[in-house]
Amino acid sequence: MASIRERNGRFQVRWREHGRAVAETFPTRVQARQFQGLVMAAGERYPEGWIPGTGFPAGGGPTAAGQGRGSATSSFVGSAPTLSLAEWFERAVAARTTANDRSKQDMRRDFHRHVPAWLADTPVDRITREQAGLWVNQLRTQPRGGTGEHAGQPVSTKTIHNVHGHVSGAMNDAVRDGLAQRNPFSGLLRGMPRTPAQEMVCLTPEEFVLLRRQFIEHYHPFLTFLYATGLRFGEITALGPEHFDLVHRTVRVDRAWKYDPVRHTYLGPPKTARAARTVTFNDGVAEMVTPLLDAARSRPRTLGDPALVFVNTRGSRIQNGAFHAHQWNPAITKAMDEGLTQRPRLHDLRHSHASLMLAEGNSMYAVSRRLGHASITTTDARYSHLLPEMDEQMRSSLDRIPILTSTPTRLRLIRDDEAI
């Protein structure tokens, strides 16, 4: 891939073409980045029309005057063949260092699905604020395509926020690389509310016991561990015996199940850096998982497959879709027939754990670290409404503040000689 190296105050764009190293040099980093983009867009080759060591012919593109192949070129002049939004978006997504292949695939999918050709084909330095606004308004009113259950309905605000964020982020990169002077998409969604999240269901311990009774006994430890630790589904189903420390009553979360671009699963790092954590549990949970650890170590498995603690009835990984269809949904129906008044999702066991920890007086910060949230802001936004008693605690604290009484105070004049 074309790279930039600074030497003696000048900037050299280097890449390999037909197996040999080639380079062009520019006086500024911005010009070097522009040329680097042209090389990458041309498939790691000289851009069409570029004369090595000289640049584009006058009037034929961004011309750089030089003194031979690989020599120091002066500056781009003339009109450059600017990258379109679609071309730049592809490059910007490919260069993302914090996104995995699956996330990049989702970004490309959203772009091709929701960015019309008239905008995608516009050069990044010619997109106006008006065009950006028209596109967002079009997103808010146009019906979805396809033949699914949501076909013909408006695009959700969550989707609008997502695709706008992808495009605006790519434009920010274009501004940093000198391909555009400003980001016309910036701030367009300010004030637009996101789709309200589905209301969480927090089960009390009694309600959880009622629900757990509806499952076959094989899954009781799995559900109990979810309720007792607040782990995510992809985290608990990735646990191996090596993650447990029964002496200190802890479990280490350092991996989770992920999906690659073609929906194959693999073990990778947790959701965020904070999601890699150590979670404590009590003696009862330790006693419950001990036989599961022994079973995981002795269970036959194919070479290369991980030893898993929580498995399905066949001894394989518990898969989300199959578990919901064959275990969770039927058990919820039975539980509601027996008096459960709410219909929780499997993820609500995590919410239930958080609400229980907060109700027992644990701090928001401690619960945030236990859940592996990237920021305490996330925890506060999701669970602060579960703490109405905080107002009462504050009122009690206010009672300790000395307040002046309303009893009138008798004033007495003091003579000057008394004041002395």
Side-chain angles (χ1 to χ4, degrees):
M1 180 180 294
S3 61
I4 298 176
R5 184 173 69 176
E6 182 178 0
R7 298 187 65 181
N8 301 321
R10 300 178 73 79
F11 301 88
Q12 190 178 64
V13 180
R14 302 164 58 88
W15 72 101
R16 298 192 68 84
E17 186 170 334
H18 302 303
R20 60 189 180 87
V22 290
E24 293 284 341
T25 306
F26 302 88
T28 69
R29 185 181 295 276
V30 169
Q31 293 162 5
R33 283 179 172 173
Q34 290 176 335
F35 183 74
Q36 178 192 31
L38 295 175
V39 171
M40 294 173 64
E44 300 298 312
R45 294 181 175 83
Y46 274 106
E48 184 178 357
W50 179 274
I51 301 174
T54 301
F56 287 109
T63 304
Q67 299 176 355
R69 189 178 189 82
S71 64
T73 56
S74 62
S75 61
F76 283 117
V77 296
S79 58
T82 310
L83 294 171
S84 69
L85 177 61
E87 292 169 332
W88 174 251
F89 185 84
E90 174 59 34
R91 282 181 46 198
V93 169
R96 286 282 186 272
T97 58
T98 57
N100 57 34
D101 290 341
R102 172 68 191 282
S103 297
K104 292 178 181 180
Q105 184 190 48
D106 290 344
M107 293 178 192
R108 296 184 179 103
R109 177 205 63 203
D110 289 346
F111 183 90
H112 293 299
R113 182 178 294 173
H114 298 293
V115 179
W118 63 264
L119 181 60
D121 294 339
T122 303
V124 290
D125 62 344
R126 299 179 189 175
I127 299 174
T128 65
R129 186 79 170 177
E130 179 185 16
Q131 289 174 316
L134 288 173
W135 169 61
V136 171
N137 286 333
Q138 187 180 85
L139 276 179
R140 300 173 70 176
T141 57
Q142 71 179 13
R144 303 187 204 190
T147 58
E149 60 177 320
H150 299 294
Q153 299 179 11
V155 177
S156 69
T157 55
K158 181 179 185 296
T159 298
I160 294 175
H161 275 276
N162 286 344
V163 68
H164 171 268
H166 301 332
V167 173
S168 185
M171 280 301 303
N172 282 334
D173 292 341
V175 173
R176 295 188 190 100
D177 281 4
L179 299 180
Q181 293 184 351
R182 57 178 176 69
N183 179 2
F185 300 94
S186 178
L188 286 180
L189 301 190
R190 190 174 293 118
M192 179 187 292
R194 293 179 180 268
T195 303
Q198 183 175 348
E199 185 176 354
M200 67 178 65
V201 174
C202 296
L203 299 177
T204 65
E206 295 74 21
E207 290 173 323
F208 170 71
V209 170
L210 170 63
L211 174 60
R212 186 177 57 187
R213 284 204 305 264
Q214 316 311 317
F215 289 83
I216 60 175
E217 189 173 351
H218 175 85
Y219 287 110
H220 286 189
F222 171 67
L223 297 166
T224 303
F225 201 80
L226 277 172
Y227 189 79
T229 61
L231 266 61
R232 300 177 177 92
F233 185 89
E235 295 171 344
I236 185 175
T237 54
L239 292 176
E242 68 275 16
H243 296 107
F244 286 80
D245 182 347
L246 295 183
V247 174
H248 298 95
R249 304 293 194 258
T250 61
V251 61
R252 187 179 76 257
V253 179
D254 62 10
R255 69 185 187 186
W257 289 105
K258 305 282 187 178
Y259 288 101
D260 66 15
V262 292
R263 296 291 295 177
H264 292 153
T265 55
Y266 66 96
L267 286 171
K271 187 175 182 180
T272 64
R274 280 286 180 88
R277 62 201 187 279
T278 299
V279 179
T280 57
F281 50 80
N282 60 17
D283 293 344
V285 171
E287 183 178 353
M288 178 190 73
V289 300
T290 298
L292 301 181
L293 303 185
D294 296 336
R297 295 186 184 100
S298 60
R299 185 180 300 115
R301 63 183 189 278
T302 305
L303 182 64
D305 286 348
L308 301 177
V309 174
F310 298 101
V311 293
N312 59 24
T313 54
R314 299 186 303 276
S316 304
R317 175 176 67 90
I318 301 176
Q319 300 189 42
N320 201 329
F323 184 79
H324 271 86
H326 303 299
Q327 304 296 332
W328 183 262
N329 291 335
I332 291 295
T333 301
K334 294 178 183 177
M336 297 191 75
D337 289 341
E338 290 198 15
L340 186 66
T341 59
Q342 305 177 88
R343 189 176 187 88
R345 301 163 298 167
L346 182 58
H347 193 70
D348 283 320
L349 294 185
R350 177 172 163 86
H351 295 319
S352 300
H353 176 77
S355 67
L356 183 61
M357 292 298 99
L358 291 170
E360 291 296 318
N362 295 281
S363 71
M364 188 73 73
Y365 176 78
V367 172
S368 177
R369 295 304 297 267
R370 185 172 176 84
L371 295 178
H373 284 162
S375 168
I376 191 174
T377 304
T378 303
T379 317
D380 182 72
R382 291 183 182 175
Y383 302 116
S384 59
H385 70 283
L386 300 176
L387 299 175
E389 67 274 13
M390 289 178 62
D391 290 336
E392 293 300 323
Q393 294 174 0
M394 290 183 182
R395 187 173 291 110
S396 299
S397 299
L398 289 173
D399 289 341
R400 300 177 59 192
I401 299 176
I403 307 296
L404 292 175
T405 64
S406 58
T407 304
T409 302
R410 180 170 296 182
L411 299 178
R412 185 173 69 87
L413 295 176
I414 303 177
R415 298 195 308 270
D416 291 342
D417 58 344
E418 289 181 337
I420 296 174

